[in-house]
Amino acid sequence: MMALRNSSTQFGLITKFLHWLIAIHMIGLIIVGWWMIDLGYYSTWYYWAPLLHKAFGIIVFLLGVALLIWRSITPHPKALEGHASHEKIASKIAHWILLASVITIPISGYIFTTSKGDGVDIFLVMTLPALFTVSDTVRDIAIDFHIYASYGLLAVIAAHAGGALKHHYVDRDETLKRMITSG
Ligand code: HEM
Ligand code: HEM
């Protein structure tokens, strides 16, 4: 049985579940965001793509909050022996940038989407209301942040995933396995 909680050597089921769910959402949202902005008015997706992008964007925000809370109450596995100190520092920095992005990119999306008082439609099931409105300047900053942070994040994801794959295929250590298998 795989433990729900992390131990000092292993990630538990809840961390793994949140990690991979968030990873798939983030990558999907960047691809969909990039694709949907060029859709023409007559495309079938003109209406649905932004609607789904926003709803899944709010979901990933909630998953990010859940991971932040969960990390604070479950043990954190120790870095593996054999990881160089620059790897430990670089991976920590990357993890914090990744976590910060999961929180701040959706918030920026929410700020510019609701800047004129419109709510965010969640799968036609409910509408997240605009909690406040903002000036055009703030809206423009939120849009710029949304775009630059999202595409910038691709580089961090590449480094993060590249590091995991390097540990797996070059060093042949347990780094990636700890985030996948029941070990
Ligand atoms: C957008 C996508 C991703 C995000 C936001 C993300 C985020 C994170 C975060 C926040 C952690 C730290 C977890 C913690 O300490 O509680 C982490 C760890 C990890 N991630 Fe990702 N990740 C992403 C994609 C990936 C991909 C594609 C891979 C593999 C190819 C991967 C492999 C790992 C591994 C192996 C760890 C554990 C590192 C360790 O032992 O400290 N991640 N990730
Ligand atoms: C982590 C979550 C999210 C990621 C990674 C993400 C990523 C992106 C990307 C890459 C684009 C294309 C930007 C461009 O090239 O102009 C985009 C556009 C957009 N996003 Fe997000 N997004 C996220 C969450 C959200 C949320 C929560 C909302 C709203 C509630 C939102 C609303 C929008 C809108 C309306 C656009 C189109 C902007 C335009 O027409 O110029 N996004 N997003």
Side-chain angles (χ1 to χ4, degrees), residues 1 23 29 35-36 39 46 48 66-67 77 80 88 123 129 133 136 143 145-146 149 160 167 170 179 182:
M1 241 309 263
L29 282 160
W35 166 73
M36 74 182 188
L39 291 173
Y46 182 78
W48 287 105
L67 180 59
L80 291 169
K88 291 181 198 165
F123 304 123
T133 55
D136 287 357
I143 292 177
F145 178 85
H146 200 75
H160 174 70
H167 281 294
V170 180
M179 203 35 119
S182 58

mmCIF file of all heavy atoms in Angstrom, residues 1 23 29 35-36 39 46 48 66-67 77 80 88 123 129 133 136 143 145-146 149 160 167 170 179 182:
data_model
loop_
_atom_site.group_PDB
_atom_site.id
_atom_site.type_symbol
_atom_site.label_atom_id
_atom_site.label_comp_id
_atom_site.label_asym_id
_atom_site.label_seq_id
_atom_site.Cartn_x
_atom_site.Cartn_y
_atom_site.Cartn_z
ATOM 1 N N MET A 1 0.839 -1.216 0.000
ATOM 2 C CA MET A 1 0.000 0.000 0.000
ATOM 3 C C MET A 1 0.871 1.263 0.000
ATOM 4 O O MET A 1 1.770 1.397 0.823
ATOM 5 C CB MET A 1 -0.853 0.003 1.284
ATOM 6 C CG MET A 1 -2.364 -0.020 1.065
ATOM 7 S SD MET A 1 -2.980 1.215 -0.061
ATOM 8 C CE MET A 1 -3.491 2.484 1.095
ATOM 9 N N ALA A 23 0.877 19.382 -12.996
ATOM 10 C CA ALA A 23 1.804 19.434 -14.139
ATOM 11 C C ALA A 23 1.030 19.352 -15.458
ATOM 12 O O ALA A 23 1.250 20.158 -16.371
ATOM 13 C CB ALA A 23 2.826 18.297 -14.047
ATOM 14 N N LEU A 29 -2.652 24.243 -20.111
ATOM 15 C CA LEU A 29 -3.134 25.632 -20.129
ATOM 16 C C LEU A 29 -2.244 26.540 -20.959
ATOM 17 O O LEU A 29 -2.732 27.453 -21.622
ATOM 18 C CB LEU A 29 -3.251 26.165 -18.697
ATOM 19 C CG LEU A 29 -4.489 25.696 -17.932
ATOM 20 C CD1 LEU A 29 -4.295 25.854 -16.433
ATOM 21 C CD2 LEU A 29 -5.716 26.454 -18.401
ATOM 22 N N TRP A 35 -2.719 28.651 -28.275
ATOM 23 C CA TRP A 35 -3.518 28.276 -29.443
ATOM 24 C C TRP A 35 -4.780 29.117 -29.561
ATOM 25 O O TRP A 35 -5.149 29.579 -30.641
ATOM 26 C CB TRP A 35 -3.863 26.787 -29.311
ATOM 27 C CG TRP A 35 -4.930 26.260 -30.208
ATOM 28 C CD1 TRP A 35 -4.837 26.031 -31.552
ATOM 29 C CD2 TRP A 35 -6.261 25.877 -29.827
ATOM 30 N NE1 TRP A 35 -6.020 25.521 -32.024
ATOM 31 C CE2 TRP A 35 -6.912 25.418 -30.989
ATOM 32 C CE3 TRP A 35 -6.958 25.868 -28.615
ATOM 33 C CZ2 TRP A 35 -8.234 24.962 -30.978
ATOM 34 C CZ3 TRP A 35 -8.264 25.415 -28.603
ATOM 35 C CH2 TRP A 35 -8.892 24.973 -29.772
ATOM 36 N N MET A 36 -5.426 29.377 -28.433
ATOM 37 C CA MET A 36 -6.779 29.955 -28.509
ATOM 38 C C MET A 36 -6.788 31.435 -28.902
ATOM 39 O O MET A 36 -7.790 31.900 -29.443
ATOM 40 C CB MET A 36 -7.510 29.785 -27.177
ATOM 41 C CG MET A 36 -7.035 30.705 -26.079
ATOM 42 S SD MET A 36 -7.922 30.388 -24.550
ATOM 43 C CE MET A 36 -7.324 31.780 -23.564
ATOM 44 N N LEU A 39 -7.746 32.112 -32.498
ATOM 45 C CA LEU A 39 -8.964 31.539 -33.068
ATOM 46 C C LEU A 39 -9.841 32.645 -33.642
ATOM 47 O O LEU A 39 -10.031 33.688 -33.033
ATOM 48 C CB LEU A 39 -9.747 30.796 -31.981
ATOM 49 C CG LEU A 39 -9.102 29.512 -31.454
ATOM 50 C CD1 LEU A 39 -9.911 28.986 -30.264
ATOM 51 C CD2 LEU A 39 -9.026 28.460 -32.542
ATOM 52 N N TYR A 46 -14.030 29.232 -30.620
ATOM 53 C CA TYR A 46 -13.908 30.633 -30.233
ATOM 54 C C TYR A 46 -14.559 30.889 -28.869
ATOM 55 O O TYR A 46 -14.053 31.659 -28.052
ATOM 56 C CB TYR A 46 -14.562 31.520 -31.305
ATOM 57 C CG TYR A 46 -14.449 32.988 -31.026
ATOM 58 C CD1 TYR A 46 -13.258 33.672 -31.266
ATOM 59 C CD2 TYR A 46 -15.540 33.712 -30.518
ATOM 60 C CE1 TYR A 46 -13.149 35.027 -31.008
ATOM 61 C CE2 TYR A 46 -15.439 35.064 -30.258
ATOM 62 C CZ TYR A 46 -14.240 35.718 -30.507
ATOM 63 O OH TYR A 46 -14.135 37.059 -30.249
ATOM 64 N N TRP A 48 -15.687 28.163 -26.683
ATOM 65 C CA TRP A 48 -15.364 27.138 -25.690
ATOM 66 C C TRP A 48 -13.935 27.177 -25.172
ATOM 67 O O TRP A 48 -13.697 26.916 -23.984
ATOM 68 C CB TRP A 48 -15.636 25.734 -26.262
ATOM 69 C CG TRP A 48 -17.101 25.484 -26.337
ATOM 70 C CD1 TRP A 48 -17.881 25.481 -27.464
ATOM 71 C CD2 TRP A 48 -17.988 25.231 -25.241
ATOM 72 N NE1 TRP A 48 -19.187 25.245 -27.131
ATOM 73 C CE2 TRP A 48 -19.281 25.082 -25.771
ATOM 74 C CE3 TRP A 48 -17.814 25.127 -23.853
ATOM 75 C CZ2 TRP A 48 -20.407 24.830 -24.981
ATOM 76 C CZ3 TRP A 48 -18.926 24.871 -23.066
ATOM 77 C CH2 TRP A 48 -20.198 24.729 -23.627
ATOM 78 N N ALA A 66 -3.950 23.683 -2.566
ATOM 79 C CA ALA A 66 -3.984 22.401 -1.843
ATOM 80 C C ALA A 66 -2.566 21.853 -1.660
ATOM 81 O O ALA A 66 -2.205 21.377 -0.578
ATOM 82 C CB ALA A 66 -4.852 21.395 -2.601
ATOM 83 N N LEU A 67 -1.723 21.944 -2.721
ATOM 84 C CA LEU A 67 -0.355 21.438 -2.596
ATOM 85 C C LEU A 67 0.444 22.250 -1.572
ATOM 86 O O LEU A 67 1.195 21.683 -0.777
ATOM 87 C CB LEU A 67 0.352 21.450 -3.962
ATOM 88 C CG LEU A 67 1.808 20.931 -3.958
ATOM 89 C CD1 LEU A 67 1.889 19.489 -3.442
ATOM 90 C CD2 LEU A 67 2.446 21.008 -5.353
ATOM 91 N N PRO A 77 10.548 14.779 1.927
ATOM 92 C CA PRO A 77 11.628 13.806 1.729
ATOM 93 C C PRO A 77 12.970 14.505 1.606
ATOM 94 O O PRO A 77 13.072 15.550 0.967
ATOM 95 C CB PRO A 77 11.257 13.120 0.411
ATOM 96 C CG PRO A 77 9.816 13.403 0.202
ATOM 97 C CD PRO A 77 9.523 14.699 0.881
ATOM 98 N N LEU A 80 18.286 13.260 -2.143
ATOM 99 C CA LEU A 80 19.010 12.001 -2.214
ATOM 100 C C LEU A 80 20.499 12.240 -2.039
ATOM 101 O O LEU A 80 21.031 13.263 -2.462
ATOM 102 C CB LEU A 80 18.762 11.354 -3.581
ATOM 103 C CG LEU A 80 17.343 10.840 -3.799
ATOM 104 C CD1 LEU A 80 17.148 10.470 -5.266
ATOM 105 C CD2 LEU A 80 17.086 9.648 -2.902
ATOM 106 N N LYS A 88 20.773 20.855 -5.402
ATOM 107 C CA LYS A 88 19.769 21.048 -4.348
ATOM 108 C C LYS A 88 19.245 22.479 -4.360
ATOM 109 O O LYS A 88 18.047 22.703 -4.265
ATOM 110 C CB LYS A 88 20.365 20.726 -2.974
ATOM 111 C CG LYS A 88 20.668 19.254 -2.788
ATOM 112 C CD LYS A 88 21.235 19.006 -1.409
ATOM 113 C CE LYS A 88 21.940 17.649 -1.367
ATOM 114 N NZ LYS A 88 22.804 17.493 -0.203
ATOM 115 N N PHE A 123 -17.455 26.138 -16.272
ATOM 116 C CA PHE A 123 -18.144 25.035 -16.975
ATOM 117 C C PHE A 123 -19.654 25.229 -17.086
ATOM 118 O O PHE A 123 -20.402 24.245 -17.061
ATOM 119 C CB PHE A 123 -17.883 23.702 -16.261
ATOM 120 C CG PHE A 123 -16.423 23.371 -16.103
ATOM 121 C CD1 PHE A 123 -15.890 23.144 -14.847
ATOM 122 C CD2 PHE A 123 -15.588 23.283 -17.207
ATOM 123 C CE1 PHE A 123 -14.549 22.834 -14.686
ATOM 124 C CE2 PHE A 123 -14.241 22.970 -17.062
ATOM 125 C CZ PHE A 123 -13.722 22.745 -15.801
ATOM 126 N N PRO A 129 -17.821 35.291 -9.214
ATOM 127 C CA PRO A 129 -18.065 36.723 -9.429
ATOM 128 C C PRO A 129 -16.783 37.550 -9.439
ATOM 129 O O PRO A 129 -15.756 37.106 -8.941
ATOM 130 C CB PRO A 129 -18.938 37.097 -8.221
ATOM 131 C CG PRO A 129 -18.585 36.109 -7.170
ATOM 132 C CD PRO A 129 -18.192 34.839 -7.877
ATOM 133 N N THR A 133 -13.056 45.514 -9.240
ATOM 134 C CA THR A 133 -12.696 45.916 -10.603
ATOM 135 C C THR A 133 -11.375 46.673 -10.506
ATOM 136 O O THR A 133 -11.010 47.144 -9.436
ATOM 137 C CB THR A 133 -13.775 46.831 -11.234
ATOM 138 O OG1 THR A 133 -13.968 47.939 -10.366
ATOM 139 C CG2 THR A 133 -15.075 46.085 -11.450
ATOM 140 N N ASP A 136 -7.536 50.334 -16.095
ATOM 141 C CA ASP A 136 -6.959 49.789 -17.327
ATOM 142 C C ASP A 136 -5.465 49.523 -17.172
ATOM 143 O O ASP A 136 -4.937 48.567 -17.742
ATOM 144 C CB ASP A 136 -7.180 50.765 -18.494
ATOM 145 C CG ASP A 136 -8.641 50.763 -18.925
ATOM 146 O OD1 ASP A 136 -9.427 49.966 -18.359
ATOM 147 O OD2 ASP A 136 -8.998 51.557 -19.812
ATOM 148 N N ILE A 143 -2.352 41.439 -17.754
ATOM 149 C CA ILE A 143 -2.262 40.723 -19.049
ATOM 150 C C ILE A 143 -0.793 40.439 -19.380
ATOM 151 O O ILE A 143 -0.425 39.307 -19.731
ATOM 152 C CB ILE A 143 -2.915 41.542 -20.191
ATOM 153 C CG1 ILE A 143 -4.433 41.626 -19.971
ATOM 154 C CG2 ILE A 143 -2.611 40.907 -21.552
ATOM 155 C CD1 ILE A 143 -5.173 42.465 -21.007
ATOM 156 N N PHE A 145 1.734 40.252 -17.376
ATOM 157 C CA PHE A 145 2.254 39.248 -16.445
ATOM 158 C C PHE A 145 1.802 37.851 -16.872
ATOM 159 O O PHE A 145 2.587 36.904 -16.909
ATOM 160 C CB PHE A 145 1.780 39.533 -15.009
ATOM 161 C CG PHE A 145 2.273 38.487 -14.034
ATOM 162 C CD1 PHE A 145 3.540 38.598 -13.466
ATOM 163 C CD2 PHE A 145 1.496 37.372 -13.724
ATOM 164 C CE1 PHE A 145 4.012 37.616 -12.596
ATOM 165 C CE2 PHE A 145 1.962 36.383 -12.864
ATOM 166 C CZ PHE A 145 3.220 36.511 -12.301
ATOM 167 N N HIS A 146 0.506 37.732 -17.216
ATOM 168 C CA HIS A 146 -0.059 36.441 -17.609
ATOM 169 C C HIS A 146 0.726 35.844 -18.783
ATOM 170 O O HIS A 146 1.063 34.667 -18.788
ATOM 171 C CB HIS A 146 -1.524 36.656 -18.018
ATOM 172 C CG HIS A 146 -2.369 35.424 -17.998
ATOM 173 N ND1 HIS A 146 -2.821 34.862 -16.833
ATOM 174 C CD2 HIS A 146 -2.856 34.636 -18.994
ATOM 175 C CE1 HIS A 146 -3.550 33.796 -17.112
ATOM 176 N NE2 HIS A 146 -3.582 33.624 -18.419
ATOM 177 N N ALA A 149 4.820 35.501 -17.776
ATOM 178 C CA ALA A 149 5.043 34.459 -16.765
ATOM 179 C C ALA A 149 4.769 33.088 -17.366
ATOM 180 O O ALA A 149 5.492 32.126 -17.110
ATOM 181 C CB ALA A 149 4.157 34.716 -15.542
ATOM 182 N N HIS A 160 13.313 21.934 -15.007
ATOM 183 C CA HIS A 160 12.838 21.052 -13.934
ATOM 184 C C HIS A 160 12.681 19.608 -14.444
ATOM 185 O O HIS A 160 13.198 18.662 -13.857
ATOM 186 C CB HIS A 160 11.502 21.623 -13.440
ATOM 187 C CG HIS A 160 10.764 20.808 -12.435
ATOM 188 N ND1 HIS A 160 11.192 20.655 -11.140
ATOM 189 C CD2 HIS A 160 9.591 20.126 -12.521
ATOM 190 C CE1 HIS A 160 10.311 19.908 -10.468
ATOM 191 N NE2 HIS A 160 9.339 19.569 -11.289
ATOM 192 N N HIS A 167 18.573 12.921 -13.823
ATOM 193 C CA HIS A 167 18.784 12.033 -12.679
ATOM 194 C C HIS A 167 18.389 10.598 -13.011
ATOM 195 O O HIS A 167 19.002 9.642 -12.569
ATOM 196 C CB HIS A 167 17.976 12.515 -11.461
ATOM 197 C CG HIS A 167 18.638 13.653 -10.765
ATOM 198 N ND1 HIS A 167 19.844 13.520 -10.113
ATOM 199 C CD2 HIS A 167 18.283 14.955 -10.630
ATOM 200 C CE1 HIS A 167 20.192 14.695 -9.612
ATOM 201 N NE2 HIS A 167 19.272 15.574 -9.916
ATOM 202 N N VAL A 170 20.796 9.570 -16.626
ATOM 203 C CA VAL A 170 22.249 9.718 -16.577
ATOM 204 C C VAL A 170 22.789 9.229 -15.235
ATOM 205 O O VAL A 170 23.650 8.351 -15.180
ATOM 206 C CB VAL A 170 22.678 11.189 -16.835
ATOM 207 C CG1 VAL A 170 24.200 11.316 -16.778
ATOM 208 C CG2 VAL A 170 22.150 11.655 -18.204
ATOM 209 N N MET A 179 8.781 10.264 -7.411
ATOM 210 C CA MET A 179 7.585 11.040 -7.730
ATOM 211 C C MET A 179 6.585 10.188 -8.521
ATOM 212 O O MET A 179 5.499 10.642 -8.838
ATOM 213 C CB MET A 179 8.011 12.287 -8.524
ATOM 214 C CG MET A 179 7.088 13.476 -8.505
ATOM 215 S SD MET A 179 6.196 13.763 -6.981
ATOM 216 C CE MET A 179 6.763 15.369 -6.485
ATOM 217 N N SER A 182 5.438 3.469 -6.241
ATOM 218 C CA SER A 182 5.041 3.329 -4.839
ATOM 219 C C SER A 182 6.244 2.997 -3.962
ATOM 220 O O SER A 182 6.155 3.053 -2.743
ATOM 221 C CB SER A 182 3.985 2.242 -4.706
ATOM 222 O OG SER A 182 4.504 1.036 -5.220
#
